[in-house]
């Protein structure tokens, strides 16, 4: 899809028109209700938000029921139920009220909280409205005020439409009113392995906006598959694949560590220490500190034989990347490689590389499991996704 071939590309509004239905009864009393109607082909979704009059301030999400079913939760005093349309791909742009980070995802949930992919804030979905979306809600409130003040004959009804469809059809260089809102593609688009929800975030790593599960392992697994495939196809040498695998593992685990530093209150000295953790050397203090401070153990379930192999391969990674593959004294002293001769070139094979990738994946999974015991995900979307999968398999 063309929208997804570029980062930071505008995604138009879905083009659905918001309606205001005005009714004037036989006594001259007026009532109004918002609705939404779409006449365009393509994806479209709607979300319900209670707005406080007269300024259209969002105060709560609500779950829209079927015909004759009440909204959930009930309407707060002084509010009206407004309806917000998605972008033209059926997704939603959001902006975190804490870190101001912008992201997109496939849902604007009313029954469970949203999570910021960047800072991990968990709050109601309406708290993540973008400034443009809030301007639209303010416009709805102002337009409602105008329509209720307009003259209407007793016993009549009429419908007013806010024409978003025409605005979508305008040329890109034509100015649009302030209340028009669109969304914007980011950089990493994926469906969460845990809950199946679509996410579109800046950077590579982030929390799923629906369930709050951090995607490091999902991204790392995909990278490992790329490296394995390239290795098997002969497009990458084993020496290069070793370096790529360790680097990917190190980046994914350091991101977990950085989240701990950012989200857990601690003294500046400890923050400084933890911010320097590296995962490309299992002989470093990294693994001990994770265990002592956070009860996180990357080497859980890794037998001593495999741990020695990991140490060996990480030392080889250092030689490949920093010494052109030539064995030096440091490698002989640290690797445990009894056959190493200083000055010789190291030669790698595919079997070692594949074994290393498998062990790195296990270690990263240990880090992820322990991390999500500290920052637990939202269970409802995960359980709902699993239930849908079970029904599909029947």
């Amino acid at each position: 899809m063309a929208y997804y071939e570029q980062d930071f590309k505008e995604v138009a509004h879905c083009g659905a028109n918001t309606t205001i239905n005005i009714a004037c009864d036989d006594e001259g009393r007026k009532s109004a209700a918002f609705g939404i109607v779409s006449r365009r082909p393509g994806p479209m979704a709607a979300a319900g938000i209670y707005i406080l009059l007269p300024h259209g301030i969002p105060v709560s999400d609500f779950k829209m029921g079927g015909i004759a079913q009440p909204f959930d939760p009930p309407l707060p005093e002084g509010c009206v139920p407004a309806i917000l349309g998605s972008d033209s791909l059926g997704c939603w742009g959001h902006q975190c009220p804490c870190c101001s980070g912008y992201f997109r995802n496939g849902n604007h949930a009313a029954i469970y909280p949203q999570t910021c992919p960047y800072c991990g804030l968990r709050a109601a979905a309406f708290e993540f409205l973008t400034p443009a979306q809030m301007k639209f809600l303010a416009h709805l409130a102002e337009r409602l005020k105008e329509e209720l003040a307009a003259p209407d004959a007793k016993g009549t009804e009429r419908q007013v439409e806010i024409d978003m469809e025409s605005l979508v059809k305008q040329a890109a260089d034509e100015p649009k009113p302030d209340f028009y809102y669109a969304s914007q593609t980011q950089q990493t688009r994926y469906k969460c392995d845990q809950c199946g929800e679509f996410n579109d975030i800046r950077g590579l790593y982030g929390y799923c906006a629906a369930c709050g599960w951090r995607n490091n392992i999902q991204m790392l697994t995909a990278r490992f598959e790329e490296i394995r495939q390239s290795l098997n196809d002969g497009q990458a040498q084993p020496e290069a694949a070793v370096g790529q695998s360790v680097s990917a593992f190190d980046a994914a685990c350091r991101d977990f560590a950085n989240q701990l530093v950012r989200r857990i209150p601690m003294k500046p000295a400890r923050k400084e220490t933890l911010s320097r953790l590296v995962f490309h050397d299992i002989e470093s203090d990294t693994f001990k500190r994770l265990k002592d401070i956070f009860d996180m153990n990357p080497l859980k379930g890794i037998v001593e034989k495999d741990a020695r192999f990991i140490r060996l391969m990480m030392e080889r990674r250092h030689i490949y990347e920093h010494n052109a593959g030539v064995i030096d004294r440091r490698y002989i002293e640290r690797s445990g490689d009894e056959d190493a001769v200083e000055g010789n070139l190291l030669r790698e094979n595919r079997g070692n590389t594949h074994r290393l990738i498998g062990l790195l994946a296990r270690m990263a999974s240990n880090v992820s499991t322990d991390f999500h015991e500290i920052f637990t995900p939202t269970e409802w979307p995960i359980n709902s996704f699993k239930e849908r999968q079970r029904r599909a398999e029947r």
Side-chain angles (χ1 to χ4, degrees):
M1 186 172 291
Y3 283 122
Y4 287 165
E5 293 173 0
Q6 300 180 42
D7 296 339
F8 308 118
K9 171 77 173 182
E10 180 177 304
V11 182
H13 185 271
C14 64
N17 292 344
T18 297
T19 62
I20 306 176
N21 300 290
I22 305 292
C24 185
D25 65 17
D26 293 336
E27 302 298 325
R29 293 170 298 198
K30 287 188 177 183
S31 61
F34 287 111
I36 192 166
V37 57
S38 178
R39 302 182 181 87
R40 293 167 53 89
M44 176 262 178
I49 301 172
Y50 289 133
I51 58 174
L52 181 66
L53 298 179
H55 302 298
I57 300 171
V59 298
S60 173
D61 301 293
F62 66 86
K63 182 181 178 182
M64 293 183 286
I67 298 174
Q69 289 184 325
F71 294 151
D72 183 21
L75 180 68
E77 184 177 354
C79 296
V80 294
I83 300 177
L84 203 63
S86 67
D87 66 28
S88 58
L89 296 176
C91 297
W92 302 89
H94 301 282
Q95 184 166 321
C96 177
C98 181
C99 71
S100 299
Y102 179 87
F103 60 97
R104 291 171 66 240
N105 82 320
N107 200 4
H108 181 107
I111 59 176
Y112 56 85
Q114 195 104 352
T115 300
C116 173
Y118 311 116
C119 71
L121 174 71
R122 195 166 295 176
F126 80 93
E127 299 278 9
F128 291 89
L129 292 172
T130 67
Q133 290 166 341
M134 288 191 284
K135 284 183 180 179
F136 178 79
L137 294 176
H139 176 74
L140 290 186
E142 181 62 28
R143 188 66 182 272
L144 176 62
K145 178 181 176 182
E146 293 174 359
E147 296 301 331
L148 288 174
D152 284 288
K154 295 179 180 180
T156 61
E157 295 183 6
R158 61 186 174 92
Q159 185 179 83
V160 178
E161 289 193 20
I162 298 174
D163 190 3
M164 301 295 282
E165 182 179 10
S166 296
L167 296 176
V168 170
K169 292 178 180 178
Q170 286 182 356
D173 58 350
E174 292 186 67
K176 291 181 172 62
D178 289 344
F179 65 81
Y180 176 79
Y181 64 94
S183 63
Q184 185 188 67
T185 61
Q186 297 298 287
Q187 295 180 301
T188 296
R189 292 167 280 279
Y190 71 99
K191 283 192 174 181
C192 175
D193 280 348
Q194 303 298 317
C195 70
E197 188 56 80
F198 170 80
N199 290 270
D200 184 5
I201 63 173
R202 172 177 44 82
L204 181 62
Y205 305 120
Y207 299 97
C208 171
C211 70
W213 193 278
R214 197 154 182 87
N215 70 350
N216 298 39
I217 297 302
Q218 188 171 339
M219 298 297 107
L220 181 62
T221 299
R223 178 59 181 144
F224 280 166
E225 287 302 314
E226 291 176 357
I227 295 171
R228 286 186 187 274
Q229 189 63 50
S230 181
L231 188 63
N232 292 336
D233 292 344
Q235 297 176 356
Q237 295 299 314
E239 292 84 359
V242 168
Q244 293 166 359
S245 301
V246 175
S247 294
F249 166 79
D250 179 58
C253 291
R254 277 192 293 109
D255 179 80
F256 278 130
N258 288 337
Q259 287 299 306
L260 295 171
V261 170
R262 291 173 184 173
R263 299 188 62 185
I264 297 178
M266 59 185 74
K267 291 183 177 180
R270 176 162 288 183
K271 280 182 177 286
E272 178 65 22
T273 297
L274 294 175
S275 67
R276 295 196 300 266
L277 295 184
V278 294
F279 291 81
H280 52 69
D281 179 5
I282 64 172
E283 296 296 309
S284 70
D285 289 338
T286 296
F287 294 81
K288 182 178 185 301
R289 286 171 176 161
L290 284 179
K291 178 66 176 176
D292 292 345
I293 299 173
F294 301 110
D295 194 25
M296 298 175 67
N297 184 11
L299 292 169
K300 182 178 180 180
I302 305 292
V303 298
E304 180 58 31
K305 178 182 178 181
D306 287 335
R308 289 196 301 269
F309 178 77
I310 294 169
R311 181 175 65 249
L312 168 69
M313 296 304 293
M314 286 185 170
E315 289 299 327
R316 289 191 169 197
R317 188 276 321 172
H318 181 85
I319 290 296
Y320 296 139
E321 293 191 354
H322 301 291
N323 209 39
V326 179
I327 297 173
D328 60 12
R329 178 55 50 184
R330 177 185 185 276
Y331 175 80
I332 294 174
E333 293 174 350
R334 291 169 59 95
S335 69
D337 186 347
E338 297 178 353
D339 298 324
V341 176
E342 188 173 0
N344 283 2
L345 280 172
L346 275 174
R347 300 297 187 188
E348 204 52 77
N349 62 69
R350 293 184 184 179
N352 279 349
T353 308
H354 283 300
R355 181 184 174 191
L356 173 65
I357 291 174
L359 290 169
L360 293 177
R362 287 175 58 188
M363 292 170 64
S365 180
N366 286 337
V367 175
S368 178
T369 297
D370 290 340
F371 179 86
H372 288 104
E373 286 188 15
I374 298 172
F375 299 111
T376 57
T378 302
E379 293 185 0
W380 193 96
I382 296 175
N383 294 338
S384 177
F385 179 59
K386 291 179 179 178
E387 180 59 30
R388 293 197 303 273
Q389 288 181 313
R390 283 194 292 269
R391 290 199 299 264
E393 292 171 356
R394 291 174 184 170

